[in-house]
Amino acid sequence: MITFMNNSDSEEEPCNERTSLMSAESPPVPSYQDGLQASEAGGAQAHRKRRTGSSRSPNNIAGGDASNSGVPVRESASENEEEELTLKYGAKHVIMLFVPVTLCMIVVVATIKSVRFYTEKNGQLIYTPFSEDTPSVGQRLLNSVLNTIIMISVIVVMTVFLVLLYKYRCYKFIHGWLILSSLMLLFLFTYIYLGEVLKTYNVAMDYPTLFLVIWNFGAVGMICIHWKGPLQLQQAYLIMISALMALVFIKYLPEWSAWVILGAISIYDLMAVLCPKGPLRMLVETAQERNEPIFPALIYSSAMMWTVGMAKPDTAARGPSQQTWDAAEDGRENHRSPLHADSQRSETRSPGPTRPITSFEELEEEERGVKLGLGDFIFYSVLVGKAAATASGDWNTTLACFVAILIGLCLTLLLLAVFKKALPALPISITFGLIFYFSTDNLVRPFMDTLASHQLYI
Amino acid sequence: MTLAVFFGCTFIAFGPALGLFLFTIARDPLRIIILIAGAFFWLVSLLLSSLIWFIAVKASDPRDEALQKGLLIFGVMFSVLLQEAFRFLYYKLLRKAIEGLVALSEDGCSPISIQQMAYVAGVGFGLMSGAFSMINLLADSLGPGTVGIHGDSQLYFLTSAFMTMVLIFLHTFWGILFFHGCEHRRWWEIAAVVVMHLAVSGSTFWNPLYVGSLVPSYLLMAAAATWAYLLSGGSAQNLRRFLLCLRSGASPQPGS
């Protein structure tokens, strides 16, 4: 889910699409240096909180800075300025998401192409119990559809469970769950990954060194993700755990099941974020009502905004104003986390909540980041990694999927700016990715191979 | 084949394009988006032309060599025409985008001009075209093998790299020429771009005879470069001033 989350605004009216679009009001963020920005920020924030799920139109997306949540008073006056600023910052925010997504995909593709462990078939997850080693095509298709149904239902159940926990304020449980998941990811999966990489390159490493490396990596990761740390280190850790999770999926999901699951999960994402009773939408709205940020371990944030000088006691909510997070991912992640220590998405929390409330003149970080849920990272990387693993050694397919996903992300951000609502980040990208994977693998590859054998150029 | 071949061919093919990207495109996020969108449009054009070729091949007799060769020629020509058609579509899209950018800007002018967009779009097309031609070759060059062991040319990798480089440059210049032609309604410029593209692709049919494909392509690239330079406001005087590091209107000074 891509959202520009601003401070959550309380909604007094029942949430439905219309009202959320019109009546979103969030208290203006006062700490902007620029008054213009402040008004926009206020507006954007209100909108953002509401829209956490949807992708905003490019204007909004880009202008993460300006809270779209609107102070209706200023709405008309500042709308033009808002749009200008959003567009000015829009392209920058798209690139702020392109870079981490690209990095994650590069890590996954590089690992897949070099470490043979992740392409070997070594059993399946318990979520996909049906095997695909069947003689007939129909049976295989049926098995993959059944696997998908089981996987998606597990995800739905976990998401609903998470939403219920959040609604009934069982924060300790949620935090414990997230911490356990990230522990497993940062220590166990990293250990396995490092072991396989060392095996591939035939490098010997003694246990004390290994222990030191893994301990340091994991401990710093836990601190950065769940507490405080330099933004770039936090982002790097989030990318790494997304890549690790994606590699686990690529290894353990059987082929056809993986493609059907990718398709089904984008449909689920679409429904969960846009339907009024969708779990992700409810999660986002609850968070907005309470003026709290969504869990730090589940979202990648590209920039931090310190909101200082807030009179409100709960500055926690003010942290990252724009969050594009994949609520579905959250649910999926958490859902899987007890069993697999799913990638925890660490939100790069701004230090806002913990800062003392200082004077209004304190400099505020102007950069408004965009937030993207880690689940989005994971599934993008799964698609590209699967393309790299299974497309007959063809690099063109991987490249085509990569470009398709980036364009899908761009379009999603464009829609976000148009609709100013939380939108799911998966459907467009995954659809493009799937279309380009199958068409490049089956249509373009024979053409390009024939051209290459005759050394013809188009 | 060795690492030297791999790195050498990579840098021959993609070095200039990487330089163009780093120095002119990487700093501006809007240009990066236009680059990636250009790559996407090229990809879609390739997809459609592969689809047509695939259908034609499946509908024909696979043992008829002459027919297959004919279908290949048809496929190449159709792909070139489709690429240019998509370049036109991309021009239309960028025109609309400029109108949007102007409408949303503070001072009524777009942060990027159509000429800059033309350049970036050309680089996007070129990079994607080059990548699709070259990446599989580069991956193979890391593995074991002997080039030309069955009697084919031993210069396969090297000439492919040079051809890729010239194609990337050509796409860049064609982008500039094409968009200029569309902007000023000069259809003969557009026709010239299409004819040049067909000529370059056609010349690759000579291909084990590399003098028949590389030399004309490089000559056409020089011509397109001069033409694009002149259309973008360049002149011999500008070039002289740049090379001698002159400031405009001042006496010659070293450095800039």
Side-chain angles (χ1 to χ4, degrees), chain A residues 138-155:
Chain A
Q139 182 70 22
R140 189 173 184 187
L141 194 61
L142 181 69
N143 280 355
S144 51
V145 170
L146 290 173
N147 279 339
T148 308
I149 291 176
I150 295 178
M151 184 77 149
I152 301 288
S153 359
V154 172
I155 288 177

Side-chain angles (χ1 to χ4, degrees), chain A residues 84 394-395 452 455 457-458, chain B residues 83 104 106 136 156 207 210:
Chain A
E84 282 172 23
D394 195 30
W395 281 86
Q455 216 174 0
Y457 281 80
I458 50 171
Chain B
Q83 282 178 46
L104 288 165
E106 295 168 350
N136 276 332
Y156 185 80
N207 241 347
Y210 293 120

Side-chain angles (χ1 to χ4, degrees), chain A residues 135 192 198 204 240 309 368 371 374 392:
Chain A
I192 295 173
L198 292 175
M240 279 190 270
R368 282 220 206 197
K371 292 182 189 171
L374 287 194
S392 349

Side-chain angles (χ1 to χ4, degrees), chain A residues 124-147:
Chain A
Q124 297 180 200
L125 297 171
I126 63 163
Y127 302 121
T128 54
F130 295 94
S131 159
E132 282 192 11
D133 279 332
T134 54
S136 76
V137 172
Q139 182 70 22
R140 189 173 184 187
L141 194 61
L142 181 69
N143 280 355
S144 51
V145 170
L146 290 173
N147 279 339

Side-chain angles (χ1 to χ4, degrees), chain A residues 59 83-84 87-88 91-92 94-95 98 393-396 399-400 403 406-407 410 432 436 439-440 442-444 446-448 450-452 454-458, chain B residues 29 32-33 36-37 40 43-44 46-47 50-51 53-54 72 76 79 83 101 104 106 128 131-133 135-136 139 156 159-160 163 197 201 204-205 207 210:
Chain A
N59 283 349
E83 281 184 26
E84 282 172 23
L87 191 61
K88 199 200 280 183
K92 203 164 159 200
V94 173
I95 302 303
F98 272 11
D394 195 30
W395 281 86
N396 288 343
L399 196 59
V403 172
L406 285 187
I407 292 292
C410 207
F432 276 6
F436 274 84
S439 50
T440 310
N442 297 315
L443 299 174
V444 176
F447 186 46
M448 293 307 288
T450 316
L451 289 180
H454 295 276
Q455 216 174 0
L456 298 175
Y457 281 80
I458 50 171
Chain B
I32 299 181
I33 295 176
I36 307 239
F40 180 73
L43 197 59
V44 175
L46 178 69
L47 201 79
S50 311
L51 179 66
W53 177 82
F54 190 78
L72 195 59
V76 168
S79 176
Q83 282 178 46
L101 286 171
L104 288 165
E106 295 168 350
M128 204 59 182
F132 261 62
S133 313
I135 294 255
N136 276 332
Y156 185 80
T159 51
S160 297
M163 195 68 206
H197 197 167
S201 283
T204 61
F205 278 93
N207 241 347
Y210 293 120

Side-chain angles (χ1 to χ4, degrees), chain A residues 135-455:
Chain A
S136 76
V137 172
Q139 182 70 22
R140 189 173 184 187
L141 194 61
L142 181 69
N143 280 355
S144 51
V145 170
L146 290 173
N147 279 339
T148 308
I149 291 176
I150 295 178
M151 184 77 149
I152 301 288
S153 359
V154 172
I155 288 177
V156 171
V157 163
M158 297 303 288
T159 314
V160 169
F161 183 51
L162 178 73
V163 172
L164 285 176
L165 282 178
Y166 191 66
K167 239 182 161 55
Y168 294 113
R169 300 179 191 265
C170 308
Y171 293 135
K172 290 232 181 329
F173 192 97
I174 295 177
H175 280 125
W177 186 2
L178 291 179
I179 287 181
L180 212 65
S181 300
S182 46
L183 263 177
M184 206 161 110
L185 263 175
L186 282 170
F187 287 99
L188 181 64
F189 285 5
T190 309
Y191 169 71
I192 295 173
Y193 178 79
L194 193 59
E196 291 307 321
V197 168
L198 292 175
K199 268 189 233 172
T200 303
Y201 291 105
N202 205 16
V203 173
M205 187 184 266
D206 52 308
Y207 274 115
T209 313
L210 187 71
F211 173 73
L212 202 68
V213 168
I214 300 274
W215 169 250
N216 278 300
F217 180 82
V220 176
M222 287 303 288
I223 293 176
C224 276
I225 291 174
H226 290 281
W227 193 46
K228 285 192 256 198
L231 177 65
Q232 294 190 319
L233 198 59
Q234 227 165 346
Q235 292 173 335
Y237 269 105
L238 290 173
I239 294 174
M240 279 190 270
I241 62 180
S242 306
L244 283 174
M245 203 57 227
L247 286 169
V248 166
F249 277 135
I250 294 171
K251 180 173 171 64
Y252 288 111
L253 285 181
E255 265 202 52
W256 290 21
S257 305
W259 299 114
V260 183
I261 285 176
L262 277 173
I265 223 145
S266 10
I267 300 176
Y268 166 70
D269 199 22
L270 194 66
M271 291 190 333
V273 173
L274 295 179
C275 292
K277 284 298 171 194
L280 293 180
R281 187 175 168 143
M282 287 175 51
L283 186 65
V284 167
E285 284 165 357
T286 316
Q288 285 179 342
E289 267 172 46
R290 297 180 193 170
N291 260 345
E292 285 168 4
I294 310 286
F295 315 111
L298 301 172
I299 299 184
Y300 173 95
S301 166
S302 56
M304 288 211 286
M305 187 184 79
W306 291 277
T307 54
V308 295
M310 297 296 296
K312 279 190 173 202
D314 56 337
T315 49
R318 306 291 169 180
S321 45
Q322 287 142 6
Q323 291 196 342
T324 60
W325 59 279
D326 194 344
E329 296 302 354
D330 280 353
R332 280 193 290 278
E333 291 306 314
N334 287 328
H335 159 61
R336 292 188 288 264
S337 46
L339 297 161
H340 290 283
D342 254 356
S343 52
Q344 290 292 335
R345 293 179 273 197
S346 307
E347 196 176 73
T348 51
R349 262 330 152 164
S350 65
T354 53
R355 265 193 181 205
I357 296 177
T358 54
S359 72
F360 277 52
E361 275 76 64
E362 189 166 318
L363 220 66
E364 177 184 276
E365 172 81 11
E366 218 182 86
E367 285 290 318
R368 282 220 206 197
V370 180
K371 292 182 189 171
L372 183 64
L374 287 194
D376 294 325
F377 278 88
I378 291 174
F379 284 102
Y380 292 161
S381 306
V382 166
L383 193 144
V384 175
K386 268 282 183 213
T390 62
S392 349
D394 195 30
W395 281 86
N396 288 343
T397 313
T398 313
L399 196 59
C401 289
F402 167 71
V403 172
I405 287 182
L406 285 187
I407 292 292
L409 191 60
C410 207
L411 282 177
T412 310
L413 291 171
L414 200 74
L415 281 180
L416 195 62
V418 165
F419 288 111
K420 298 182 171 46
K421 233 173 42 143
L423 293 178
L426 279 185
I428 301 180
S429 287
I430 299 282
T431 310
F432 276 6
L434 288 175
I435 292 175
F436 274 84
Y437 171 75
F438 287 110
S439 50
T440 310
D441 200 30
N442 297 315
L443 299 174
V444 176
R445 191 172 43 89
F447 186 46
M448 293 307 288
D449 282 348
T450 316
L451 289 180
S453 63
H454 295 276
Q455 216 174 0

Side-chain angles (χ1 to χ4, degrees), chain B residues 69-133:
Chain B
K69 183 87 179 171
L71 280 179
L72 195 59
I73 297 176
F74 161 72
V76 168
M77 296 298 141
F78 184 72
S79 176
V80 168
L81 293 174
L82 211 57
Q83 282 178 46
E84 297 304 326
F86 269 82
R87 208 195 295 270
F88 181 70
L89 286 177
Y90 195 39
Y91 164 75
K92 283 283 178 210
L93 181 71
L94 286 178
R95 262 255 134 252
K96 283 221 164 53
I98 279 204
E99 286 166 20
L101 286 171
V102 166
L104 288 165
S105 75
E106 295 168 350
D107 50 1
C109 61
S110 156
I112 188 172
S113 70
I114 191 75
Q115 289 86 3
Q116 292 168 340
M117 282 182 167
Y119 161 72
V120 176
V123 177
F125 268 60
L127 271 178
M128 204 59 182
S129 163
F132 261 62
S133 313

Side-chain angles (χ1 to χ4, degrees), chain B residues 8-24:
Chain B
C9 289
T10 307
F11 289 130
I12 289 176
F14 295 114
L18 186 69
L20 286 178
F21 175 77
L22 283 178
F23 289 118
T24 58

